[in-house]
Amino acid sequence: MSSVTPSPAPSQSQQWDVHRLPRAEGRNILVTGGNAGIGYFVAEQLAGAGATVVLGSRNTDKARAAMDSIRARVPGARLRHLRLDLAELTSLRSSAEALELDRLDAVVLNAGVALDDPPRKVTEDGHEFMFGINHLGHFALTGWLAPLLAAAPAGRIVTVGSFAARSERLDLEDLQSTRDYRPKRTYGRSKLAQMHFAFELDRRLRAAGSTVLSVVAHPGGALDSLTPSRPPVHERSAGDRLRGLPAGLLVQGKDAGAWPMVRAVLDPEVRGGQLWEPRVFGLRGRPRLAPVQGHYTDTEVAARLWEASRELVGSEPHFAAQESSTAATASISTS
Ligand SMILES: NC(=O)c1ccc[n+]([C@@H]2O[C@H](COP(=O)([O-])OP(=O)(O)OC[C@H]3O[C@@H](n4cnc5c(N)ncnc54)[C@H](OP(=O)(O)O)[C@@H]3O)[C@@H](O)[C@H]2O)c1
């Protein structure tokens, strides 16, 4: 394993109040998969802080329902829908262009799929479903968003990782799980790939002298049965609530699952290369800074994954040095 710069010591700051967020008026923030689940609550909380939130969603009706629900709770919320399907890599350039923004202050790479059962599925582009959507889709999207993120005074890329990545290792010879497909393992590896990507991106951003930050956050364990209702986006019955009670000792709802990502976007003390997670065993509670250690620091695996991803996608995120916040440059390199 290669050596890396040690991650900063976990912050002891107790100042962060998930219910009293810093104001974010004037900031444009894209949340992939903002129409449902954790992404919905990230969007709701950021809109509550005054940000202009763009919900990246493949389904217009679901995005509309999510925006209606947020507006009912956050009067005057500034919201937009961006059509985004991470399974269609070739569509992502036009999705980024359709943003029609002069700058993007943050993107939360949240959308994700977790399949429970075989058989192995592939996207239209022929990539294994979870690796293709969770990792390759976000790798490609980040490339197309690079100029907009670099145009912001301090752009942030927040990658949603997972506890499931802790016990997995990538198989660089079989990134697409063609041999011995096991859905749970493939999911965990896709999340690990996303985390390696985010840490490698952080190293590249720093090397380039960019002001853009790449940060990882994960929600711990977040269950629908512990999540407050947001009809019609999510409805929890009294029965669901009762059945969820025992799990509530260990994990949490998707509203609380959103907290680490919201902090990673809004906390001015957040630095590139950090990992944010729920305080209680990394599974539930308020967000805390976690050490980046063990296989997460394997720069060689991360670099090889980056190279493989570049070849599969046909392009890579590229951020050049920034002379000032107004003269930022970034581009996507195609191969
Ligand atoms: N829940 C947990 O305990 C947990 C734990 C660790 C990490 N995570 C991570 O947290 C993130 C959100 O999880 P969740 O529990 O909120 O999942 P969820 O409720 O299933 O929501 C997933 C979101 O991703 C969107 N999505 C799926 N495929 C897409 C595609 N091809 N293009 C664009 N959007 C797509 C979905 O859109 P549709 O509504 O159109 O399907 C939905 O908005 C994921 O990255 C997941 O890996 C979750």
Side-chain angles (χ1 to χ4, degrees):
M1 201 174 285
S2 321
S3 66
V4 290
T5 318
S7 56
S11 159
Q12 297 307 312
S13 166
Q14 299 296 316
Q15 302 306 312
W16 190 260
D17 182 341
V18 296
H19 300 296
R20 291 170 64 89
L21 299 172
R23 300 304 300 167
E25 273 85 4
R27 287 203 225 165
N28 300 317
I29 303 170
L30 169 64
V31 183
T32 71
N35 64 280
I38 294 164
Y40 167 84
F41 285 96
V42 172
E44 183 186 286
Q45 291 165 28
L46 291 173
T52 298
V53 184
V54 184
L55 280 67
S57 170
R58 54 190 171 167
N59 184 310
T60 306
D61 291 341
K62 283 189 182 181
R64 228 176 251 146
M67 291 192 290
D68 287 348
S69 171
I70 294 173
R71 285 200 182 99
R73 307 184 70 83
V74 182
R78 280 176 285 269
L79 301 165
R80 282 179 53 196
H81 168 227
L82 175 73
R83 199 203 159 269
L84 181 77
D85 189 343
L86 293 161
E88 289 175 19
L89 294 181
T90 50
S91 69
L92 297 176
R93 182 181 193 165
S94 39
S95 288
E97 285 167 0
L99 272 171
E100 292 182 345
L101 292 172
D102 56 1
R103 56 159 227 284
L104 185 63
D105 296 276
V107 58
V108 183
L109 305 177
N110 158 83
V113 277
L115 302 181
D116 293 326
D117 302 301
R120 178 179 177 275
K121 266 178 76 176
V122 293
T123 63
E124 293 217 347
D125 302 319
H127 300 300
E128 188 285 319
F129 212 64
M130 295 179 273
F131 180 74
I133 291 171
N134 301 354
H135 171 60
L136 293 180
H138 281 130
F139 181 92
L141 179 67
T142 303
W144 298 119
L145 295 177
L148 291 179
L149 288 158
R156 287 191 189 186
I157 301 160
V158 177
T159 294
V160 179
S162 173
F163 206 76
R166 269 199 193 184
S167 51
E168 298 297 345
R169 300 293 181 274
L170 294 188
D171 180 351
L172 289 163
E173 306 307 319
D174 188 24
L175 284 170
Q176 308 242 25
S177 303
T178 54
R179 298 190 294 262
D180 186 23
Y181 173 71
R182 292 185 229 163
K184 239 188 177 154
R185 184 176 69 182
T186 297
Y187 168 73
R189 287 179 174 179
S190 76
K191 299 307 292 181
L192 178 58
Q194 287 190 263
M195 293 171 75
H196 274 310
F197 159 64
F199 293 134
E200 175 67 16
L201 180 59
D202 166 62
R203 288 186 283 273
R204 289 172 183 242
L205 287 164
R206 290 191 207 196
S210 173
T211 58
V212 177
L213 302 185
S214 170
V215 184
V216 179
H218 79 80
L223 302 184
D224 283 322
S225 58
L226 295 170
T227 304
S229 285
R230 291 292 188 271
V233 177
H234 163 70
E235 304 202 34
R236 179 173 63 158
S237 67
D240 292 337
R241 189 191 291 251
L242 270 178
R243 278 187 293 277
L245 280 178
L249 295 172
L250 208 62
V251 293
Q252 58 191 352
K254 294 192 175 184
D255 51 332
W259 293 342
M261 280 67 86
V262 171
R263 183 164 187 177
V265 170
L266 293 182
D267 187 342
E269 288 184 18
V270 164
R271 301 286 174 263
Q274 290 181 338
L275 170 62
W276 289 86
E277 68 174 15
R279 190 169 296 272
V280 185
F281 305 123
L283 286 174
R284 63 188 294 269
R286 290 179 296 125
R288 71 165 180 202
L289 189 54
V292 177
Q293 58 194 13
H295 63 311
Y296 294 151
T297 65
D298 194 329
T299 54
E300 197 182 318
V301 166
R304 288 178 63 195
L305 170 71
W306 184 289
E307 188 54 28
S309 308
R310 186 180 67 76
E311 277 175 21
L312 290 166
V313 166
S315 60
E316 68 183 326
H318 177 72
F319 291 83
Q322 287 164 242
E323 279 157 29
S324 77
S325 59
T326 49
T329 54
S331 61
I332 186 158
S333 314
T334 45
S335 54

